[in-house]
């Protein structure tokens, strides 16, 4: 009987201990989710997250404006279809002398910004950032998978730009990722990824950001939350990614301005919304005189807006409404 009483007492003390520990950890969890103080933010690692490079960091500062030309450059020339040029094994177009253009699929690479509007100036910049290899891989892979809808690819890109952990992926976004990415590329999505930040943490984090980045940071968190929930549509993602209205224009970067590409030819962009861009490429005759082989491969290109509040547009080699019955006027025999 005495032993039974001792066992009961021990069990009671053990249960009381568990209750106390559980209450302590529950209280600790609540405290960690609150960021009324800087210490709370640091405990959650918000400061560390804010210092991490973005998935795609390309900005107008990455544009090399040396050699730029105004919109009237080569205005007397008639453009030929770019998509009629021969391709190399990687899907890039082998360039020949003259002016070429095509309307191609494009993708928004910056959530929480304004869609392109008439008069916006866009210039060439490379895809840069911690997820640049994954983004380029998706765009290249999409060329080989025409059955994958453009909206599904855009949703996946927004998810990556928002630094969503792949373990949080659900729904169509996950299906698209598994279709377009290799297992090795999928593992790259975990590095630098964020979880869904609670409201209080978001508010504390936004206090540490410049005003121009607050909307972007909030949009990315909303996208992470949607994708993690598994209950979302493309329209839901777009509502957070695209801000209604117009970004202010810069007078020194007019629509149709030409960028001199690092390879020596000229390129310019005319976006129509974020999903469609008309691109023009001008190749000077003297550039090819030495036998230089030039390739236009848009998978690594961004049409970068001069206005920080507008969207970066990833370009592709995929033409829209192509008419292959047309013929090139220029005799094009790239070596």
């Amino acid at each position: 009987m005495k032993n039974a009483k001792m066992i009961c007492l021990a069990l009671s003390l053990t249960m009381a201990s568990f209750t106390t520990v559980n209450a302590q950890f529950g209280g600790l969890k609540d405290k960690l989710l609150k960021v009324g103080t800087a210490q709370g933010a640091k405990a959650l690692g918000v400061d560390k997250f804010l210092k991490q490079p973005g998935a795609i960091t390309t900005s107008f500062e990455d544009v090399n404006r040396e050699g730029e030309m105004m919109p009237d450059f080569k205005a007397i020339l008639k453009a030929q279809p770019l998509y009629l040029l021969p391709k190399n094994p990687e899907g890039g177009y082998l360039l020949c002398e003259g002016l070429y253009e095509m309307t191609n699929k494009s993708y928004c690479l910056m959530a929480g910004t304004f869609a392109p509007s008439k008069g916006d100036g866009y210039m060439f910049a490379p895809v840069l950032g911690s997820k640049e290899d994954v983004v380029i891989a998706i765009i290249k892979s999409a060329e080989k998978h025409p059955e994958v809808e453009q909206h599904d690819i855009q949703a996946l890109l927004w998810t990556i730009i928002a630094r969503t952990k792949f373990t949080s992926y659900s729904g169509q976004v996950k299906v698209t990722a598994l279709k377009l990415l290799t297992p090795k590329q999928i593992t790259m999505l975990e590095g630098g990824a964020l979880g869904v930040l609670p409201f209080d943490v978001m508010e504390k984090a936004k206090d540490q950001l410049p005003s121009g980045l607050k909307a972007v940071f909030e949009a990315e968190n909303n996208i992470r939350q949607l994708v993690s929930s598994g209950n979302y549509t493309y329209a839901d993602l777009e509502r957070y990614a695209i801000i209604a209205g117009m970004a202010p224009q810069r007078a020194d970067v007019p629509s149709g301005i030409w960028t001199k590409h690092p390879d020596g030819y000229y390129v310019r962009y005319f976006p129509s919304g974020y999903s469609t861009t008309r691109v023009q490429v001008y190749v000077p005759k003297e550039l090819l005189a030495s036998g230089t082989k030039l390739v236009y491969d848009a998978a690594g290109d961004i049409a970068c807006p001069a206005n920080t509040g507008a969207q970066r547009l990833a370009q592709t080699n995929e033409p829209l409404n192509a008419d292959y019955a047309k013929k090139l006027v220029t005799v094009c025999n790239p070596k």
Side-chain angles (χ1 to χ4, degrees):
M1 189 71 176
K2 184 177 181 181
N3 288 339
K5 289 182 178 180
M6 291 297 293
I7 291 172
C8 289
L9 180 60
L11 287 173
S12 298
L13 290 172
T14 302
M15 292 300 294
S17 177
F18 275 126
T19 302
T20 302
V21 170
N22 185 60
Q24 287 176 341
F25 277 102
L28 178 60
K29 180 182 178 181
D30 292 338
K31 288 178 182 178
L32 288 176
L33 290 177
K34 299 295 182 181
V35 287
T37 64
Q39 289 79 7
K42 290 180 180 178
L44 282 167
V46 172
D47 291 344
K48 179 182 177 182
F49 290 146
L50 292 177
K51 292 176 183 178
Q52 288 182 340
I56 297 299
T57 59
T58 302
S59 70
F60 199 70
E61 294 179 357
D62 298 306
V63 172
N64 183 353
R65 299 187 64 176
E66 185 177 349
E68 68 181 37
M69 302 299 287
M70 289 295 106
D72 59 354
F73 176 64
K74 301 300 176 182
I76 62 173
L77 296 181
K78 183 177 180 180
Q80 300 183 72
L82 177 63
Y83 55 79
L84 293 182
L85 291 172
K87 283 188 168 186
N88 67 4
E90 289 73 41
Y93 294 95
L94 300 175
L95 292 176
C96 295
E97 169 197 349
L99 177 66
Y100 301 90
E101 74 172 11
M102 74 173 176
T103 299
N104 54 253
K105 295 179 182 179
S106 56
Y107 294 98
C108 167
L109 289 185
M110 194 168 187
T113 48
F114 296 99
S117 57
K118 187 176 181 180
D120 284 343
Y122 278 75
M123 300 185 75
F124 164 82
V127 177
L128 301 172
S130 62
K131 296 295 183 289
E132 60 184 74
D133 291 340
V134 177
V135 168
I136 293 173
I138 288 171
I139 293 172
K140 292 299 292 182
S141 182
E143 296 175 18
K144 303 172 185 177
H145 292 281
E147 76 280 6
V148 181
E149 296 290 337
Q150 185 176 2
H151 276 186
D152 291 335
I153 297 169
Q154 178 64 82
L156 174 59
L157 289 171
W158 277 331
T159 303
I160 292 171
I161 300 309
R163 292 178 286 177
T164 309
K165 294 181 179 180
F166 183 74
T167 51
S168 299
Y169 279 30
S170 62
Q172 186 58 45
V173 163
K174 187 172 185 178
V175 173
T176 306
L178 292 171
K179 181 80 171 181
L180 298 181
L181 294 173
T182 66
K184 182 179 179 181
Q185 290 165 343
I186 285 174
T187 62
M188 295 170 63
L189 296 178
E190 288 296 305
L194 295 176
V196 177
L197 300 180
F199 175 79
D200 289 347
V201 177
M202 278 294 302
E203 292 304 301
K204 185 64 180 181
K206 287 194 295 183
D207 288 344
Q208 303 177 45
L209 290 170
S211 57
L213 294 179
K214 290 181 180 180
V216 174
F217 191 74
E218 188 166 18
E220 290 178 353
N221 191 58
N222 288 330
I223 289 171
R224 289 194 299 273
Q225 190 168 27
L226 276 177
V227 173
S228 299
S229 73
N231 184 23
Y232 61 90
T233 65
Y234 182 80
D236 293 330
L237 294 172
E238 186 180 49
R239 186 170 63 254
Y240 290 125
I242 313 299
I243 297 178
M246 296 175 58
Q249 296 177 2
R250 279 181 53 168
D252 62 320
V253 187
S255 174
I257 191 171
W258 291 90
T259 310
K260 188 174 183 180
H261 190 275
D263 290 337
Y265 59 85
Y266 294 85
V267 62
R268 66 175 174 174
Y269 309 98
F270 297 94
S272 179
Y274 62 84
S275 60
T276 304
T277 301
R278 179 166 63 95
V279 60
Q280 289 191 333
V281 175
Y282 171 68
V283 185
K285 180 178 181 179
E286 56 271 19
L287 191 60
L288 301 171
S290 62
T292 302
K293 184 177 181 180
L294 293 177
V295 176
Y296 173 75
D297 190 341
D301 296 2
I302 284 182
C304 192
N307 304 311
T308 56
Q311 296 164 353
R312 303 171 297 212
L313 301 177
Q315 300 302 300
T316 74
N317 298 320
E318 299 183 78
L320 293 168
N321 304 316
D323 183 359
Y324 292 101
K326 293 182 177 181
K327 302 294 181 183
L328 290 174
V329 175
T330 301
V331 177
C332 187
N333 295 304
K335 299 179 180 179

